[in-house]
Amino acid sequence: MSLRITVWNEGVHEARQHPSGIDEYYPDGIHGAIAEALRAHIPTASVRTAMLSDPEHGLPESVLADTDVLLWWAHLAHGEVSDEVVSRVQRHVLGGMGLLVLHSGHFSKIFTRLLGTTCSLSWRNAAEREVVWTVDPTHPITEGVPNPLVIPEQETYGEFFDIPVPDELIFISSFTGGEVFRSGCTFHRGRGRIFYFSPGDESYPVYNQPEIQRVLTNGVHWAAQPGIERAIPQVSNPERDWYLT
Amino acid sequence: MSLRITVWNEGVHEARQHPSGIDEYYPDGIHGAIAEALRAHIPTASVRTAMLSDPEHGLPESVLADTDVLLWWAHLAHGEVSDEVVSRVQRHVLGGMGLLVLHSGHFSKIFTRLLGTTCSLSWRNAAEREVVWTVDPTHPITEGVPNPLVIPEQETYGEFFDIPVPDELIFISSFTGGEVFRSGCTFHRGRGRIFYFSPGDESYPVYNQPEIQRVLTNGVHWAAQPGIERAIPQVSNPERDWYLT
Amino acid sequence: MSLRITVWNEGVHEARQHPSGIDEYYPDGIHGAIAEALRAHIPTASVRTAMLSDPEHGLPESVLADTDVLLWWAHLAHGEVSDEVVSRVQRHVLGGMGLLVLHSGHFSKIFTRLLGTTCSLSWRNAAEREVVWTVDPTHPITEGVPNPLVIPEQETYGEFFDIPVPDELIFISSFTGGEVFRSGCTFHRGRGRIFYFSPGDESYPVYNQPEIQRVLTNGVHWAAQPGIERAIPQVSNPERDWYLT
Amino acid sequence: MSLRITVWNEGVHEARQHPSGIDEYYPDGIHGAIAEALRAHIPTASVRTAMLSDPEHGLPESVLADTDVLLWWAHLAHGEVSDEVVSRVQRHVLGGMGLLVLHSGHFSKIFTRLLGTTCSLSWRNAAEREVVWTVDPTHPITEGVPNPLVIPEQETYGEFFDIPVPDELIFISSFTGGEVFRSGCTFHRGRGRIFYFSPGDESYPVYNQPEIQRVLTNGVHWAAQPGIERAIPQVSNPERDWYLT
């Protein structure tokens, strides 16, 4: 069965043509660039996109039930994502759907919901060089990824990154100014696998970089469990509900 | 400064005098028994209790701001706890308040909120013997605790326990029927320390057992950070809210 | 390329026909039973055996260089394994060879060498039932393994098991007497993957049980990295040797 | 009872007055500087020093039995440390003695013995600035430590650092050239606590920096377990020895 991938993007930067230049390096939006890269790297995959402005943000039950891995890019409009959709995504992740959370998605409702912490971090945007180092060299997400991976210009993310201790720490980045950041982390929640990868600010054409595309491709392969029975673990006592929200 | 402890109990079993016998072994309720034990073991502590039926469930901002460690016992009425109070408790835990979640509190809104998973488990109630084994013998929570610690009669909890991988696994229990359960686990979330300890079903006088009281006392000492600045980690960009719910 | 598997067995029990019965349920020895099971489950694999009594214990450089995964069963003669061979095996594990350590192999030189601790545990042999519970249900080692997996008769292993905190805890066992044991654990060391699985005492035909064979098969698949460059990570300063022994 | 600290230094740089300047910023040697700092920060402590050139390297059984925390600085002469002393130190660590391994001690026999890996890393020495960031801000080792802690000039250590995944990752450093390094890590082995802290090259007066002294002081307090019964966990079967070497 071919891998079923859904790339979600809030799409607010693209709609406002902000930052200037984004319509040049991402003519089809951030989601379009990522979807195209995944199609090129995984030719057998079925890749769709979904956006905040779609009905139910493009993530009705039928789409999630048909998705092995969901990628999530968002920045300006976290608060506009409906709690109902967030709960729906959470249920599917706990049931076995893979999730890749990208860059400013660290502040998304779905990521903070799954991790339980603020997921806050330090940041400043100075077009600095980011150097991404591998600290878990046999992890499948690192396969074929140069060490280090250099991004010429990126927003600077720095510690303290307020997340639970990751199940696996894969990448650590440094920035010209001296900051460090745990830029590649995995988490297991329920039956689902989550990979957070921080590069990808909208002001720079990061997702056009082949090495970055390789990381996303590896991440999708790692997070996908196409054979898994998609079910939230059974609650044994029907009297006691499970309180998602 | 003396340790400030708040013991929270939903109090529904006590109100209904169910199970029969609970008013004999816990004449002051589960919260009363725990509070009395902590007062005996930590004479300098200031111990208060709070209940579901109290205004704001007894947990207004002023009480949480004055609490180093909160203990949480609940079973039948998780759904009656207001989301506002849950968010308030979560903020204080992330800001540095300690939290002990007891027994059926695994299904409480606050525990599932902080962990992000269903926290479901297998269970059956057959008054079986629980044997609690130490697997982290130098952890302060195990100090003075017999290995194994035997509980003559308890509800049986079994794997799979749907939690994130604990930061520390301290106790594993077996039951007469052959089940095993990760009965003592710690988690760090934000600046707060969380200890889950599964013994303590309302049908048996578990909290009257001195060894159990010792675990709770150790847990309180471990989770307390009296000197910590109680503050949710700062969100660096005011445009991006942190979405607790 | 087909998977290259080497099953190592000290072979002392078999040589002495002790315990009585071992030559009936394992007519070709413990190594023979395991090798046969792996050949049946992975028909494309190339499976060889090696023993303590072979020259260089059957593990010269050429054999290790031609091995993707090594299985290690030992009990009575840990001290007879030469330090030179242990260092050789360690180098290959650190370079990327998979290692499955079975049952009483917990006390082998190679296991204690790689983990740095005593790897001691509690034990008694009373032909009790062992119930193996899965606590990491999406781990590939658990695929197709019943939960629980019941072994009618086994030696009892109990905590405290003096190992470093495992990178992944997969199985926890209970025994009739009430003991618990972390019976399935993984460790990463260097580029190599290590899986410890405790069932398999020589007094019972454990490795003839299809579910146990399934665990070993899964473990081999998980630990194998056939494409990996087999090399001890480079030491950057030739002046500073790396002190294996 | 006052804390009993032993500062071990191979002392080869000092003996050869290499690098030039070391006798000015460390007139009493690296061990002398560290010992003096610990005496100043923990006035009640009993601090002794020991060196490679001492009989039994200054670490006979009687000294280790009288030590709560051992600090280990070494660089040029790892191979000259006798295996017997290394085994003795390992036994005491497993029995509950704390161990702080400093800088180039990553390649010491005792550190590689306890961790089981090569502990190799990338390095170059260019007097670059090291910025030490805290990634576990409520860990006691970080108490009172500025975030970041800046070291004006240091040898550059970089990933991949070939260690097992640390039990706790506390500090990550960046260097002017863009390298990152897991510079503060803890490990539990047996009953002992181990803290590795990478700053401290002999070419720069790092240990004279008050913030560095604070980290060492916190590390000593964290690793010390003065009340612990110093004993290697019992091996239950005397027939099966535990093979340290």
Side-chain angles (χ1 to χ4, degrees), chain C residues 12-113:
Chain C
V12 175
H13 285 293
E14 292 86 343
R16 301 184 188 163
Q17 299 206 335
H18 170 76
S20 66
I22 192 171
D23 52 346
E24 291 174 22
Y25 47 81
Y26 294 146
D28 300 315
I30 292 174
H31 52 297
I34 292 175
E36 189 186 333
L38 293 175
R39 286 188 192 106
H41 283 77
I42 319 176
T44 60
S46 161
V47 183
R48 63 157 70 84
T49 60
M51 300 186 74
L52 179 65
S53 54
D54 293 336
E56 299 187 59
H57 311 323
L59 299 174
E61 182 64 29
S62 60
V63 166
L64 294 176
D66 192 45
T67 297
D68 293 311
V69 180
L70 175 67
L71 294 94
W72 194 276
W73 199 100
H75 183 202
L76 297 172
H78 299 309
E80 297 174 31
V81 178
S82 85
D83 289 337
E84 187 187 341
V85 169
V86 173
S87 295
R88 191 186 297 155
V89 174
Q90 181 181 18
R91 277 194 298 268
H92 277 273
V93 171
L94 296 179
M97 183 178 71
L99 178 68
L100 267 62
V101 176
L102 303 176
H103 189 61
S104 42
H106 72 89
F107 259 144
S108 64
K109 287 184 180 180
I110 183 60
F111 195 56
T112 56
R113 178 81 71 83

Side-chain angles (χ1 to χ4, degrees), chain D residues 6-9 48-52 54-65 67 70-72 81-82 84-86 88-89 92 97 99 110:
Chain D
T6 301
V7 182
W8 193 89
N9 179 14
R48 63 157 71 82
T49 61
M51 300 187 75
L52 179 66
D54 292 335
E56 301 187 58
H57 311 324
L59 299 174
E61 182 66 29
S62 60
V63 166
L64 294 175
T67 296
L70 174 68
L71 295 94
W72 194 276
V81 178
S82 86
E84 187 187 341
V85 168
V86 173
R88 190 186 296 155
V89 173
H92 276 274
M97 182 178 72
L99 177 68
I110 184 60

Side-chain angles (χ1 to χ4, degrees), chain A residues 48 64 67 85 90 109 142 147 149 159 226 243:
Chain A
R48 62 157 73 82
L64 293 176
T67 297
V85 169
Q90 182 182 18
K109 286 184 179 181
T142 69
N147 184 17
L149 187 171
E159 297 284 343
Y243 298 97

Side-chain angles (χ1 to χ4, degrees), chain D residues 17-85:
Chain D
Q17 297 206 338
H18 170 77
S20 67
I22 192 171
D23 52 346
E24 289 174 22
Y25 47 82
Y26 295 146
D28 301 314
I30 293 174
H31 52 296
I34 293 175
E36 187 186 335
L38 293 175
R39 285 188 194 107
H41 283 77
I42 318 177
T44 60
S46 161
V47 183
R48 63 157 71 82
T49 61
M51 300 187 75
L52 179 66
S53 55
D54 292 335
E56 301 187 58
H57 311 324
L59 299 174
E61 182 66 29
S62 60
V63 166
L64 294 175
D66 191 46
T67 296
D68 292 311
V69 181
L70 174 68
L71 295 94
W72 194 276
W73 199 101
H75 183 203
L76 297 171
H78 299 309
E80 297 173 31
V81 178
S82 86
D83 289 337
E84 187 187 341
V85 168

